[in-house]
Each structure stands twice: as structure tokens, then as C-alpha cells.
Amino acid sequence: VPRATTPALAHLAAALHTLDEQGLLRRRPEPWTGARPTFCSNDYLGLASAGRAANRRDREVESGAGASRLVAGERSAHAELETAIARWLGSEGALAFTSGYAANVGLIGALVSPSDLIVSDALNHASIVDGCRLAKAEVCVVPHLDQKAVEQALSRPRRGRAWVVTETYFSMDGDQPDLARLRAACDEHGAGLLVDEAHALGVLGPAGRGLCAQTGVAPDAMTGTLGKAFGHQGAFVAGSEALMEWLWNRARSFVFSTGLSPLVADGARSALEEAARNPTLRERCLANAERLREGLRASGHAWALRGSGPIVPLIVGAPERAVRMATFAQEHGIHVQAIRPPTVPVGTSRLRVTVTARHTSEDIAAAVTVLGDALLRFT
Ligand SMILES: Cc1ncc(COP(=O)(O)O)c(C=O)c1O
């Protein structure tokens, strides 16, 4: 049994108190039991909450891989999932990881050498940031969506290879880089382009195949997750066969970790196939997003809105204000969470509102009213 308070951990109480004073302490939330679906998940197609497991067990699938896939954890569910992903995206291959976090740290750590340069958008997800740290390369963090800064960084003399890494649909801002220009800059300077399509796949682009597909851009590697639009857990890297083989050998978060649960892999494959086949869910999600944005614009709140698509950030500045607004919204039946530093830059605390295919037009209308009220009351 771990000891309660020890001298080694005594400093934590003071550190937690400081976080609380700064409005930055995260408390474990109560599970949401409100009548309306939450407005802060990444379950864009409503597949996570659709109660799928009950109706699709036509064969026995093991719950656990029991070992790393390199040792004894390999199951047919893994290959079936990876084949389905590669076929859907049109890539040579795909490799399943246990989370998007593991996929990004595994990919970047395996691909980038200490003598390389990584050009990374300032708002890239923590898993990309940590991948860059693990790679021990020189990292040039460029201002968000600043194409000129990317080009400048790439044109400086360097010892090794160069890599540009970016999200395609930014998780906290709902905005997008110009992928075609990034690809062109990479080609001009002999750099690789690594994209994270975590929030785009399943929802945005042709047949939900993401923003690279939409813009006709071929990245050198793509990360996607199974825990957002595909409603399960886990993730993948898609790319060439050689890359897959390299990751199988060198991605430490893959090699030294129990393989993705075969049960989850199997469920995620069927969710992905359904999402690819059936446009209704993503159309409903995108129509809901447009309705929410339109409603907030019409009631005079365009100033707080950012981006486009199903991630609808309402930027309100101070963390305490975002927390008060989230509490007010929850008390009025709309489940949103305040997003504060260090997740987002200081001064840009926000409500990150997300819509899904499960929201009804009444849910969206209620959100417009409650969020509009919260913006009026607290800003
Ligand atoms: C852009 C991005 N990449 C990766 C991840 C991590 O994915 P996962 O939740 O599957 O670990 C997230 C999760 O929030 C994300 O927003």
C-alpha cells in the first residue's frame, strides 16, 4: 500500500494549492448524467455512445492481446483493422497503436534522429510535443499556421534531415494549415511532412478521409485515432510499407507495450467501415456544427467563435471566467468544459464546444441559448 504523506511528496500539497489559486486546478468531474448528450466529447459521429457491443458479436474475440505484438500479442483482428484503414485511406499500410499519444511519440521518436530538425506548429498536441522531445532533435516551434516561419526554418543550414509536423484540424482551435503549401515547402527543402489527422478522420474530407485527402496532399506519415470519430480507443500510423516495418521495429511505444486489445481492434474496424460506408453520420455532425455556429453568430457572439467544423471554440480569456461559464452551462443542461493553460496558451482559456451526430436540433438550439447567456453574463 503506498504511504499517504511522505517527505518526498510533501511539496505536492503546496503545488496543488498554487494551481487552485491560479484557477488551473483540474478536479475529477462527476460523470455527466444530463438529458442532453455532452458538448465536449470527440465522439463526432456518436459511435462511442451508440451501445454497439451488444449487437455485433458474431465471433469470439479476445479482450486482451496479452503481450506486445512482437512477442505473442499478434491477432488477426489487428491485421484486419490495419488492412481496412490502409484500404480506406489508400495507403500502403497502417499500424495500430494503443492510443494517439502512443502513436505520435512512437512515430516521431522512431523516425527523427538527434541530428535532425523538426519544425512544429506552436499549437500541436502534447503527444507531438513529447514525440519531439523523445527524438532529441532540434525543434523549431513556429507560430500557429505561420507558413513563412516554416519556410524560414527549413531554409536554414542543417546537419540532418528536416521534418514538418502539424495537426490537420487543430483540436483546440478548429482551424487548419494550408497543407498544399506545407507539402510544397517540404518538397522544396527536402523535408518530410508528418500530419496528425486525429480530429479530421471520419468527419472531414471526401468520405471522411480527412484533410490530406481533401487537399490532395500525400504526407510522409499520418497519425489517426480510433478514440474520436470511430468511437473506440487506440490509434494508427498510416504510410508506406517500409515505414510500417520501421515502426514495428523501432517505435518504442509499440514495441514495449501490450498490443491493442483485439476486441477493441475488431470493434474499431467495424466502426471505421460503417463510417466510411454511411455518410449520414458525418453529414449530421457537420450540419449540427453549422447550426450551432450560425445560432451564436446570429445572437451577436461571433467575436468569441473560432475555426470551422465540429470543434467550436469560444475564447473567453481568463481561466476563472471559462470555469464560471462552464459551470453555468452545466447547471443549465449543457455539458461543456473549460479548457485552460497549459492545454491552451495563457490568455486564451475557452469553452471547447464540440457537436456530434447524436445532437438533435433541440439540443443545438438549447446550446445556442445557454452558451449565448453564459457569454453575456461572464464577459
Ligand atoms: C491532435 C491529437 N493527436 C493525438 C491525440 C491523442 O489521441 P488519443 O486520445 O487516442 O491518445 C489527441 C487527443 O486528444 C489529439 O487531439
Side-chain angles (χ1 to χ4, degrees):
V1 177
R3 288 190 287 166
T5 305
T6 66
L9 301 181
H11 64 292
L12 294 185
L16 287 166
H17 181 70
T18 305
L19 280 181
D20 200 11
E21 279 183 342
Q22 294 168 337
L24 297 178
L25 187 67
R26 276 113 147 143
R27 295 198 163 77
R28 186 182 292 216
E30 291 296 320
W32 176 245
T33 51
R36 298 188 192 283
T38 169
F39 277 89
C40 46
S41 80
N42 303 309
D43 182 24
Y44 301 117
L45 303 182
L47 291 172
S49 43
R52 303 167 53 77
N55 57 20
R56 44 155 288 279
R57 278 278 69 80
D58 53 356
R59 59 179 180 153
E60 289 292 311
V61 182
E62 292 158 280
S63 56
S68 165
R69 287 176 60 190
L70 281 78
V71 180
E74 182 71 355
R75 297 292 180 276
S76 54
H78 296 129
E80 287 163 10
L81 168 66
E82 289 161 354
T83 302
I85 293 166
R87 192 179 302 134
W88 179 57
L89 290 174
S91 64
E92 276 184 17
L95 191 68
F97 285 71
T98 48
S99 72
Y101 186 95
N104 275 333
V105 298
L107 169 70
I108 300 171
L111 205 54
V112 179
S113 304
S115 56
D116 291 355
L117 167 72
I118 305 176
V119 182
S120 177
D121 188 286
L123 298 192
N124 275 339
H125 188 257
S127 56
I128 297 175
V129 174
D130 292 357
C132 295
R133 288 177 183 158
L134 271 180
K136 298 197 179 87
E138 181 192 347
V139 182
C140 176
V141 176
V142 289
H144 183 49
L145 303 183
D146 188 336
Q147 174 75 21
K148 274 232 153 55
V150 172
E151 286 167 16
Q152 272 167 7
L154 289 178
S155 47
R156 288 205 310 254
R158 59 175 189 260
R159 284 184 301 149
R161 297 185 182 82
W163 307 91
V164 172
V165 57
T166 185
E167 296 182 34
T168 61
Y169 180 50
F170 276 86
S171 63
M172 292 296 146
D173 293 72
D175 54 7
Q176 311 165 10
D178 186 332
L179 288 167
R181 286 184 70 199
L182 282 182
R183 179 73 269 181
C186 286
D187 290 346
E188 187 185 338
H189 296 283
L193 178 62
L194 311 180
V195 300
D196 181 340
E197 292 249 45
H199 292 270
L201 289 179
V203 189
L204 300 176
R209 283 186 293 112
L211 293 171
C212 285
Q214 179 164 298
T215 52
V217 164
D220 294 277
M222 174 190 293
T223 307
T225 90
L226 304 168
K228 303 190 194 297
F230 303 121
H232 280 71
Q233 190 151 34
F236 56 87
V237 175
S240 67
E241 270 173 23
L243 175 64
M244 296 310 114
E245 201 168 341
W246 184 251
L247 296 179
W248 181 281
N249 282 275
R250 282 290 182 272
R252 293 169 65 83
S253 59
F254 180 86
V255 175
F256 299 106
S257 190
T258 300
L260 179 66
S261 151
L263 189 65
V264 170
D266 194 52
R269 177 189 48 76
S270 81
L272 184 136
E273 286 172 346
E274 182 181 332
R277 203 172 36 237
N278 175 3
T280 317
L281 294 176
R282 68 179 164 273
E283 285 168 4
R284 212 183 289 154
C285 171
L286 293 175
N288 277 340
E290 208 29 61
R291 224 174 274 148
L292 178 62
R293 287 177 181 281
E294 207 31 66
L296 289 168
R297 260 185 234 118
S299 50
H301 303 297
W303 63 270
L305 275 170
R306 296 288 186 283
S308 62
I311 297 170
V312 184
L314 297 173
I315 314 276
V316 297
E320 299 85 355
R321 180 182 287 165
V323 171
R324 279 201 297 275
M325 289 177 63
T327 306
F328 172 87
Q330 288 176 24
E331 284 165 1
H332 291 80
I334 301 298
H335 188 218
V336 291
Q337 290 287 9
I339 307 286
R340 297 165 275 170
T343 308
V344 293
V346 172
T348 71
S349 288
R350 66 197 67 190
L351 301 185
R352 174 184 179 267
V353 186
T354 54
V355 298
T356 76
R358 284 194 69 211
H359 290 115
T360 62
S361 44
E362 291 78 37
D363 294 332
I364 301 293
V368 169
T369 305
V370 170
L371 295 171
D373 270 6
L375 283 162
L376 282 177
R377 255 167 210 262
F378 298 105
T379 56

